[in-house]
Amino acid sequence: MEVTEGAVTVDVSEQSGEAIEDAVFFNPEQELNRDLTVAALRAYREREPRAETYLDAMAASGIRGVRAANDGWTATLVDRDPDAVALAEANLARNDCEGDVRHDDANAVLWDPQRAFDVVDLDPFGTPAPFLDAAFANTRDLVCVTATDTAPLCGAHLKSGIRKYQTVPRNTEYHAEVGVRVLLSAMARSAARFDVGITPVLTHATRHYVRTYVDLTHAASAANDAVDALGHVHHCPECLWRTHEYGLRADRPDACPNCDGTNLLTAGPLWLEATREDAFLERVRGQLSDDMATKETADGLLTDLREELDTPTHYDQHKLYGRWGEPAVGMDEFLGALRDAGHAASRTHYGGTTFKTDADVAEIRDVAP
Ligand code: SAM
Protein backbone atom coordinates (compact mmCIF):
# COMPACT_ATOMS: atom_id res chain seq x y z
CA MET A 1 0.00 0.00 0.00
CA GLU A 2 1.31 3.45 -0.91
CA VAL A 3 0.96 6.45 1.38
CA THR A 4 1.86 10.05 0.67
CA GLU A 5 2.52 12.32 3.64
CA GLY A 6 4.00 15.76 3.25
CA ALA A 7 6.56 15.62 0.44
CA VAL A 8 7.26 11.86 0.61
CA THR A 9 5.55 8.72 -0.65
CA VAL A 10 6.26 5.45 1.14
CA ASP A 11 5.18 1.83 0.99
CA VAL A 12 3.47 0.57 4.12
CA SER A 13 2.09 -2.86 4.98
CA GLU A 14 -1.64 -3.53 4.78
CA GLN A 15 -2.97 -3.13 8.32
CA SER A 16 -5.82 -5.61 7.97
CA GLY A 17 -6.49 -9.23 7.07
CA GLU A 18 -4.71 -12.38 8.18
CA ALA A 19 -1.18 -11.06 7.76
CA ILE A 20 -1.77 -8.19 10.22
CA GLU A 21 0.25 -9.84 13.01
CA ASP A 22 3.35 -9.98 10.82
CA ALA A 23 2.81 -6.60 9.18
CA VAL A 24 5.20 -3.72 9.82
CA PHE A 25 3.24 -1.24 11.92
CA PHE A 26 1.66 1.82 10.31
CA ASN A 27 -1.08 3.99 11.78
CA PRO A 28 -2.63 6.52 9.36
CA GLU A 29 -4.26 8.25 12.34
CA GLN A 30 -0.84 9.44 13.48
CA GLU A 31 -0.50 11.74 10.46
CA LEU A 32 -1.21 14.80 12.62
CA ASN A 33 1.51 13.66 15.02
CA ARG A 34 3.96 13.21 12.12
CA ASP A 35 3.05 16.50 10.41
CA LEU A 36 3.63 18.30 13.69
CA THR A 37 6.91 16.41 14.11
CA VAL A 38 8.15 17.69 10.75
CA ALA A 39 7.07 21.23 11.57
CA ALA A 40 8.60 21.03 15.07
CA LEU A 41 11.90 19.75 13.65
CA ARG A 42 11.97 22.64 11.17
CA ALA A 43 11.12 25.08 13.96
CA TYR A 44 13.83 23.64 16.16
CA ARG A 45 16.48 23.87 13.46
CA GLU A 46 15.43 27.44 12.71
CA ARG A 47 16.13 28.19 16.39
CA GLU A 48 19.26 26.00 16.69
CA PRO A 49 20.83 25.87 13.20
CA ARG A 50 23.65 23.60 14.38
CA ALA A 51 21.15 20.75 15.07
CA GLU A 52 21.79 18.21 12.32
CA THR A 53 21.34 14.60 13.39
CA TYR A 54 17.97 12.94 14.01
CA LEU A 55 17.33 9.44 15.37
CA ASP A 56 14.01 7.80 14.54
CA ALA A 57 14.52 5.16 17.24
CA MET A 58 11.40 3.10 16.42
CA ALA A 59 11.13 3.51 12.69
CA ALA A 60 8.64 0.81 11.52
CA SER A 61 7.98 1.80 7.85
CA GLY A 62 10.43 4.64 8.36
CA ILE A 63 7.89 7.27 7.41
CA ARG A 64 8.95 9.68 10.16
CA GLY A 65 12.67 9.29 9.53
CA VAL A 66 12.18 9.52 5.76
CA ARG A 67 10.27 12.76 6.17
CA ALA A 68 13.06 14.13 8.38
CA ALA A 69 15.74 13.00 5.91
CA ASN A 70 13.80 14.58 3.07
CA ASP A 71 13.93 17.84 5.05
CA GLY A 72 17.72 17.72 5.23
CA TRP A 73 18.26 16.02 8.59
CA THR A 74 21.10 13.50 8.83
CA ALA A 75 18.74 10.71 9.77
CA THR A 76 19.29 7.36 11.45
CA LEU A 77 16.38 4.93 11.46
CA VAL A 78 16.38 2.00 13.91
CA ASP A 79 14.02 -0.91 14.41
CA ARG A 80 14.43 -4.30 16.01
CA ASP A 81 12.10 -5.89 13.44
CA PRO A 82 14.06 -6.97 10.33
CA ASP A 83 10.98 -6.51 8.09
CA ALA A 84 10.71 -2.93 9.31
CA VAL A 85 14.39 -2.34 8.58
CA ALA A 86 14.02 -3.62 5.00
CA LEU A 87 10.92 -1.47 4.46
CA ALA A 88 12.55 1.65 5.94
CA GLU A 89 15.59 1.15 3.67
CA ALA A 90 13.35 0.80 0.62
CA ASN A 91 11.35 3.87 1.60
CA LEU A 92 14.46 6.03 1.98
CA ALA A 93 15.69 4.88 -1.44
CA ARG A 94 12.31 5.42 -3.05
CA ASN A 95 12.42 9.08 -1.97
CA ASP A 96 16.07 9.55 -2.98
CA CYS A 97 16.94 10.24 0.64
CA GLU A 98 20.21 9.46 2.39
CA GLY A 99 19.97 7.81 5.78
CA ASP A 100 21.47 5.16 7.99
CA VAL A 101 19.11 2.28 8.75
CA ARG A 102 20.02 -0.08 11.57
CA HIS A 103 18.64 -3.38 12.71
CA ASP A 104 19.17 -2.91 16.41
CA ASP A 105 17.52 -2.35 19.74
CA ALA A 106 16.75 1.32 20.35
CA ASN A 107 18.28 1.17 23.82
CA ALA A 108 21.56 -0.25 22.50
CA VAL A 109 21.84 2.64 20.04
CA LEU A 110 20.82 5.27 22.59
CA TRP A 111 23.24 4.12 25.28
CA ASP A 112 26.23 4.29 22.90
CA PRO A 113 28.07 7.60 23.58
CA GLN A 114 29.94 7.27 20.27
CA ARG A 115 26.64 7.74 18.45
CA ALA A 116 25.09 10.73 20.23
CA PHE A 117 22.30 12.48 18.30
CA ASP A 118 21.09 16.08 18.34
CA VAL A 119 17.45 15.04 18.24
CA VAL A 120 15.99 11.71 19.37
CA ASP A 121 12.44 10.57 18.65
CA LEU A 122 10.78 7.76 20.63
CA ASP A 123 7.61 6.26 19.18
CA PRO A 124 7.24 2.81 20.75
CA PHE A 125 4.22 0.57 21.12
CA GLY A 126 2.64 1.79 24.38
CA THR A 127 4.91 3.17 27.05
CA PRO A 128 8.20 4.97 26.32
CA ALA A 129 9.32 4.39 29.94
CA PRO A 130 11.92 1.65 29.15
CA PHE A 131 13.69 4.05 26.77
CA LEU A 132 13.72 7.30 28.72
CA ASP A 133 16.99 6.89 30.64
CA ALA A 134 18.81 5.88 27.47
CA ALA A 135 17.31 8.81 25.55
CA PHE A 136 18.63 11.34 28.07
CA ALA A 137 22.03 9.69 28.51
CA ASN A 138 23.56 11.05 25.31
CA THR A 139 21.09 13.22 23.34
CA ARG A 140 22.36 16.75 22.78
CA ASP A 141 19.36 18.97 22.10
CA LEU A 142 15.81 17.71 21.82
CA VAL A 143 13.92 14.58 22.85
CA CYS A 144 10.53 13.91 21.24
CA VAL A 145 8.29 11.25 22.80
CA THR A 146 4.98 9.63 21.91
CA ALA A 147 3.19 7.62 24.61
CA THR A 148 0.08 5.64 23.69
CA ASP A 149 -0.46 3.93 27.05
CA THR A 150 -3.04 6.42 28.22
CA ALA A 151 -4.65 4.11 30.81
CA PRO A 152 -1.49 3.79 32.96
CA LEU A 153 -0.59 7.44 32.35
CA CYS A 154 -3.91 8.84 33.53
CA GLY A 155 -4.40 6.46 36.46
CA ALA A 156 -7.11 4.26 34.96
CA HIS A 157 -4.58 1.43 35.38
CA LEU A 158 -3.10 2.75 38.61
CA LYS A 159 -0.55 0.06 39.42
CA SER A 160 0.73 -0.07 35.86
CA GLY A 161 1.15 3.72 35.92
CA ILE A 162 3.06 3.53 39.22
CA ARG A 163 5.33 0.79 37.87
CA LYS A 164 6.08 2.46 34.56
CA TYR A 165 6.42 6.08 35.62
CA GLN A 166 7.42 5.80 39.31
CA THR A 167 4.76 8.31 40.22
CA VAL A 168 1.15 8.06 41.39
CA PRO A 169 -1.33 8.94 38.64
CA ARG A 170 -4.99 9.43 39.56
CA ASN A 171 -8.06 8.87 37.46
CA THR A 172 -9.87 12.20 37.50
CA GLU A 173 -12.01 14.08 34.97
CA TYR A 174 -8.79 15.81 33.80
CA HIS A 175 -7.29 12.47 32.80
CA ALA A 176 -5.43 13.65 29.69
CA GLU A 177 -3.85 16.43 31.75
CA VAL A 178 -2.69 13.89 34.35
CA GLY A 179 -1.24 11.79 31.52
CA VAL A 180 0.75 14.74 30.15
CA ARG A 181 2.10 15.64 33.58
CA VAL A 182 2.93 12.07 34.61
CA LEU A 183 4.94 11.61 31.41
CA LEU A 184 6.79 14.92 31.83
CA SER A 185 7.50 14.12 35.48
CA ALA A 186 9.08 10.80 34.51
CA MET A 187 11.08 12.51 31.78
CA ALA A 188 12.31 15.27 34.13
CA ARG A 189 13.49 12.65 36.64
CA SER A 190 15.15 10.50 33.98
CA ALA A 191 16.98 13.50 32.53
CA ALA A 192 18.05 14.68 35.98
CA ARG A 193 20.02 11.43 36.46
CA PHE A 194 22.38 12.73 33.79
CA ASP A 195 22.45 16.35 35.05
CA VAL A 196 20.16 17.35 32.18
CA GLY A 197 17.23 19.74 32.60
CA ILE A 198 14.15 19.54 30.40
CA THR A 199 12.03 22.39 29.05
CA PRO A 200 8.85 21.23 27.30
CA VAL A 201 8.43 23.33 24.15
CA LEU A 202 5.38 21.58 22.68
CA THR A 203 3.05 19.01 24.25
CA HIS A 204 -0.36 17.77 23.21
CA ALA A 205 -2.73 14.99 24.20
CA THR A 206 -4.63 13.99 21.10
CA ARG A 207 -7.01 11.05 20.81
CA HIS A 208 -5.23 8.16 22.56
CA TYR A 209 -1.71 9.44 22.85
CA VAL A 210 0.46 12.08 24.46
CA ARG A 211 3.21 13.71 22.40
CA THR A 212 5.87 15.97 23.85
CA TYR A 213 9.06 17.72 22.70
CA VAL A 214 11.54 18.68 25.42
CA ASP A 215 14.53 20.95 24.92
CA LEU A 216 17.61 19.87 26.91
CA THR A 217 20.01 21.92 29.00
CA HIS A 218 23.15 20.06 30.04
CA ALA A 219 23.74 21.50 33.51
CA ALA A 220 23.08 20.25 37.03
CA SER A 221 21.37 23.55 37.86
CA ALA A 222 18.92 23.04 34.97
CA ALA A 223 18.22 19.50 36.18
CA ASN A 224 17.52 20.95 39.64
CA ASP A 225 15.13 23.49 38.10
CA ALA A 226 13.24 20.69 36.35
CA VAL A 227 12.96 18.69 39.58
CA ASP A 228 11.72 21.88 41.28
CA ALA A 229 8.88 21.96 38.71
CA LEU A 230 7.48 18.74 40.20
CA GLY A 231 4.84 18.47 42.87
CA HIS A 232 1.46 17.01 43.79
CA VAL A 233 -2.21 17.59 43.04
CA HIS A 234 -4.79 16.93 45.77
CA HIS A 235 -8.26 16.26 44.42
CA CYS A 236 -11.69 15.90 46.03
CA PRO A 237 -13.83 13.44 44.05
CA GLU A 238 -16.98 14.68 45.85
CA CYS A 239 -17.03 18.35 44.83
CA LEU A 240 -14.12 18.42 42.31
CA TRP A 241 -12.08 20.88 44.42
CA ARG A 242 -8.36 20.56 43.85
CA THR A 243 -5.10 22.23 44.79
CA HIS A 244 -1.45 21.69 43.94
CA GLU A 245 1.80 22.10 45.84
CA TYR A 246 5.41 21.98 44.70
CA GLY A 247 7.92 19.55 46.17
CA LEU A 248 8.61 15.84 46.25
CA ARG A 249 6.84 15.46 49.60
CA ALA A 250 3.04 15.48 49.57
CA ASP A 251 1.17 17.11 52.48
CA ARG A 252 -2.38 16.07 51.75
CA PRO A 253 -5.02 18.07 53.67
CA ASP A 254 -7.11 15.92 56.07
CA ALA A 255 -10.35 17.10 54.51
CA CYS A 256 -11.54 19.05 51.48
CA PRO A 257 -11.85 22.72 52.53
CA ASN A 258 -14.79 23.11 50.15
CA CYS A 259 -17.10 20.21 51.12
CA ASP A 260 -15.36 18.61 54.14
CA GLY A 261 -15.09 15.31 52.20
CA THR A 262 -12.29 13.10 53.47
CA ASN A 263 -11.67 10.93 50.41
CA LEU A 264 -9.03 13.20 48.92
CA LEU A 265 -6.84 11.72 46.19
CA THR A 266 -3.22 12.73 45.68
CA ALA A 267 -1.39 12.40 42.38
CA GLY A 268 2.31 12.95 41.93
CA PRO A 269 5.00 13.82 41.59
CA LEU A 270 3.61 15.51 38.47
CA TRP A 271 5.14 18.16 36.22
CA LEU A 272 3.35 21.32 37.42
CA GLU A 273 4.71 23.98 35.10
CA ALA A 274 4.18 25.00 31.49
CA THR A 275 4.02 22.21 28.94
CA ARG A 276 4.93 24.43 25.98
CA GLU A 277 6.75 27.63 25.00
CA ASP A 278 4.57 30.11 23.15
CA ALA A 279 7.42 31.38 20.95
CA PHE A 280 8.14 27.80 19.88
CA LEU A 281 4.46 27.17 19.10
CA GLU A 282 4.52 30.17 16.77
CA ARG A 283 7.68 28.90 15.07
CA VAL A 284 6.00 25.51 14.57
CA ARG A 285 2.92 27.19 13.13
CA GLY A 286 5.17 29.03 10.68
CA GLN A 287 6.65 25.71 9.53
CA LEU A 288 3.38 23.95 8.71
CA SER A 289 3.37 23.54 4.94
CA ASP A 290 0.66 23.21 2.31
CA ASP A 291 1.69 19.63 1.53
CA MET A 292 0.54 18.57 5.03
CA ALA A 293 -2.93 17.05 4.96
CA THR A 294 -3.50 17.97 8.61
CA LYS A 295 -2.26 21.55 8.27
CA GLU A 296 -5.56 23.11 9.30
CA THR A 297 -6.06 20.76 12.26
CA ALA A 298 -2.47 21.29 13.37
CA ASP A 299 -2.88 25.06 13.12
CA GLY A 300 -6.07 24.87 15.22
CA LEU A 301 -4.35 22.71 17.80
CA LEU A 302 -1.46 25.19 18.10
CA THR A 303 -3.99 28.01 18.59
CA ASP A 304 -5.78 26.03 21.31
CA LEU A 305 -2.45 25.31 23.03
CA ARG A 306 -1.42 28.95 22.83
CA GLU A 307 -4.65 30.11 24.46
CA GLU A 308 -4.66 27.48 27.20
CA LEU A 309 -3.70 28.56 30.72
CA ASP A 310 -0.71 26.82 32.33
CA THR A 311 -2.62 25.58 35.39
CA PRO A 312 -1.90 21.89 36.02
CA THR A 313 -5.53 20.72 36.12
CA HIS A 314 -8.65 21.53 34.17
CA TYR A 315 -12.37 21.33 34.90
CA ASP A 316 -15.15 19.81 32.88
CA GLN A 317 -18.02 22.26 32.84
CA HIS A 318 -20.65 19.50 32.42
CA LYS A 319 -19.25 17.56 35.39
CA LEU A 320 -19.50 20.66 37.56
CA TYR A 321 -23.08 21.43 36.54
CA GLY A 322 -23.91 17.74 37.05
CA ARG A 323 -22.61 18.00 40.63
CA TRP A 324 -24.65 21.15 41.15
CA GLY A 325 -27.81 19.54 39.71
CA GLU A 326 -28.24 22.29 37.11
CA PRO A 327 -28.22 22.36 33.30
CA ALA A 328 -24.93 23.46 31.72
CA VAL A 329 -24.68 26.71 29.72
CA GLY A 330 -22.69 27.58 26.58
CA MET A 331 -18.91 27.65 27.01
CA ASP A 332 -18.52 31.25 25.80
CA GLU A 333 -21.10 32.50 28.30
CA PHE A 334 -19.52 30.41 31.05
CA LEU A 335 -15.94 31.57 30.39
CA GLY A 336 -17.18 35.16 29.97
CA ALA A 337 -18.74 35.04 33.47
CA LEU A 338 -15.45 33.86 34.97
CA ARG A 339 -13.49 36.60 33.18
CA ASP A 340 -16.04 39.29 34.11
CA ALA A 341 -15.49 38.31 37.74
CA GLY A 342 -11.75 38.92 37.31
CA HIS A 343 -10.57 35.31 36.91
CA ALA A 344 -8.31 34.02 34.18
CA ALA A 345 -10.15 31.41 32.12
CA SER A 346 -9.49 29.49 28.92
CA ARG A 347 -10.64 26.48 26.97
CA THR A 348 -8.19 23.60 26.74
CA HIS A 349 -6.88 21.70 23.74
CA TYR A 350 -8.44 18.56 25.23
CA GLY A 351 -11.68 19.82 23.73
CA GLY A 352 -15.37 19.59 24.53
CA THR A 353 -16.45 21.27 27.73
CA THR A 354 -13.04 21.36 29.42
CA PHE A 355 -11.65 24.64 30.70
CA LYS A 356 -8.91 26.05 32.90
CA THR A 357 -9.15 28.86 35.39
CA ASP A 358 -7.34 30.30 38.39
CA ALA A 359 -10.67 30.34 40.28
CA ASP A 360 -11.27 27.55 42.79
CA VAL A 361 -14.38 25.42 42.69
CA ALA A 362 -16.28 27.66 45.15
CA GLU A 363 -15.42 30.78 43.14
CA ILE A 364 -16.54 29.05 39.95
CA ARG A 365 -19.85 28.14 41.62
CA ASP A 366 -20.34 31.75 42.73
CA VAL A 367 -20.03 33.25 39.27
CA ALA A 368 -21.33 30.43 37.06
CA PRO A 369 -24.44 31.53 35.09
N1 SAM B 1 7.43 5.69 14.15
C1 SAM B 1 6.51 4.87 13.37
C2 SAM B 1 5.55 5.75 12.58
O1 SAM B 1 5.52 6.98 12.77
O2 SAM B 1 4.80 5.18 11.76
C3 SAM B 1 5.76 3.88 14.19
C4 SAM B 1 6.54 3.09 15.18
S1 SAM B 1 5.67 1.72 15.83
C5 SAM B 1 4.52 2.44 16.93
C6 SAM B 1 6.82 1.00 16.93
C7 SAM B 1 8.02 0.31 16.26
O3 SAM B 1 9.01 0.17 17.27
C8 SAM B 1 7.76 -1.08 15.71
O4 SAM B 1 8.16 -1.15 14.36
C9 SAM B 1 8.63 -2.00 16.58
O5 SAM B 1 9.22 -3.07 15.86
C10 SAM B 1 9.68 -1.04 17.07
N2 SAM B 1 10.29 -1.39 18.36
C11 SAM B 1 9.67 -1.78 19.50
N3 SAM B 1 10.58 -1.94 20.48
C12 SAM B 1 11.79 -1.64 19.95
C13 SAM B 1 13.10 -1.61 20.47
N4 SAM B 1 13.35 -1.94 21.73
N5 SAM B 1 14.10 -1.23 19.65
C14 SAM B 1 13.86 -0.90 18.37
N6 SAM B 1 12.63 -0.92 17.81
C15 SAM B 1 11.61 -1.28 18.59
Side-chain angles (χ1 to χ4, degrees):
M1 198 169 80
E2 234 178 40
V3 168
T4 298
E5 272 190 19
V8 310
T9 298
V10 295
D11 281 320
V12 299
S13 312
E14 289 285 349
Q15 302 292 307
S16 59
E18 280 174 17
I20 180 73
E21 285 202 2
D22 297 326
V24 175
F25 182 85
F26 176 73
N27 183 357
E29 289 193 9
Q30 291 278 3
E31 186 166 2
L32 172 70
N33 180 336
R34 287 186 289 265
D35 282 349
L36 274 170
T37 300
V38 170
L41 289 177
R42 290 175 184 164
Y44 194 78
R45 202 169 35 188
E46 183 184 60
R47 205 181 84 177
E48 306 288 350
R50 68 186 162 67
E52 221 181 281
T53 55
Y54 169 80
L55 172 66
D56 180 358
M58 289 94 182
S61 68
I63 188 164
R64 216 176 276 258
V66 173
R67 292 185 68 178
N70 189 59
D71 254 18
W73 287 86
T74 302
T76 300
L77 287 65
V78 169
D79 206 290
R80 68 177 177 189
D81 172 3
D83 292 339
V85 170
L87 189 57
E89 268 168 354
N91 281 328
L92 272 173
R94 164 179 193 151
N95 288 280
D96 293 326
C97 290
E98 303 266 323
D100 185 17
V101 185
R102 288 169 193 234
H103 179 214
D104 210 337
D105 188 282
N107 272 329
V109 175
L110 288 164
W111 278 115
D112 182 353
Q114 306 302 321
R115 304 193 273 201
F117 297 91
D118 297 329
V119 179
V120 161
D121 200 325
L122 303 181
D123 184 25
F125 294 132
T127 179
F131 306 100
L132 292 180
D133 280 359
F136 292 112
N138 293 304
T139 307
R140 290 191 198 96
D141 292 321
L142 185 75
V143 171
C144 325
V145 176
T146 304
T148 57
D149 59 329
T150 49
L153 274 173
C154 75
H157 295 166
L158 176 65
K159 293 230 160 132
S160 175
I162 293 170
R163 284 197 309 275
K164 306 254 164 24
Y165 296 101
Q166 301 284 298
T167 189
V168 180
R170 286 294 183 184
N171 199 4
T172 60
E173 73 275 17
Y174 40 96
H175 46 89
E177 182 95 42
V178 170
V180 159
R181 293 173 187 282
V182 162
L183 177 62
L184 286 170
S185 164
M187 291 171 69
R189 286 176 285 116
S190 267
R193 291 182 185 114
F194 304 96
D195 285 347
V196 172
I198 65 162
T199 305
V201 289
L202 169 61
T203 308
H204 59 107
T206 303
R207 294 198 199 99
H208 300 296
Y209 66 90
V210 176
R211 175 73 169 166
T212 189
Y213 304 74
V214 300
D215 193 19
L216 309 185
T217 306
H218 292 260
S221 58
N224 289 340
D225 290 346
V227 171
D228 286 345
L230 305 180
H232 293 81
V233 168
H234 307 296
H235 174 86
C236 174
E238 306 301 325
C239 70
L240 309 182
W241 172 89
R242 75 285 307 260
T243 189
H244 63 272
E245 56 168 337
Y246 285 85
L248 295 179
R249 223 191 87 158
D251 285 320
R252 177 160 63 206
D254 292 333
C256 170
N258 187 51
C259 73
D260 294 329
T262 52
N263 291 325
L264 291 180
L265 300 173
T266 294
L270 305 179
W271 178 265
L272 293 182
E273 297 203 337
T275 60
R276 92 283 175 161
E277 272 185 5
D278 288 343
F280 191 74
L281 295 190
E282 288 317 313
R283 277 188 197 273
V284 176
R285 190 198 305 283
Q287 295 293 350
L288 294 171
S289 47
D290 290 339
D291 59 14
M292 294 176 177
T294 73
K295 181 180 180 194
E296 217 173 290
T297 311
D299 194 274
L301 174 60
L302 293 169
T303 301
D304 291 345
L305 286 169
R306 178 83 200 250
E307 289 171 0
E308 187 173 312
L309 295 179
D310 280 340
T311 55
T313 69
H314 66 255
Y315 296 88
D316 184 322
Q317 192 226 33
H318 281 192
K319 287 255 163 59
L320 286 173
Y321 274 102
R323 284 284 190 294
W324 303 334
E326 290 174 19
V329 301
M331 279 295 274
D332 288 338
E333 184 187 357
F334 184 80
L335 294 177
L338 280 166
R339 292 188 191 115
D340 288 347
H343 302 296
S346 76
R347 290 175 187 267
T348 81
H349 78 283
Y350 307 111
T353 50
T354 60
F355 69 97
K356 290 189 170 188
T357 180
D358 58 1
D360 67 24
V361 78
E363 291 167 328
I364 299 171
R365 182 78 184 99
D366 277 350
V367 302

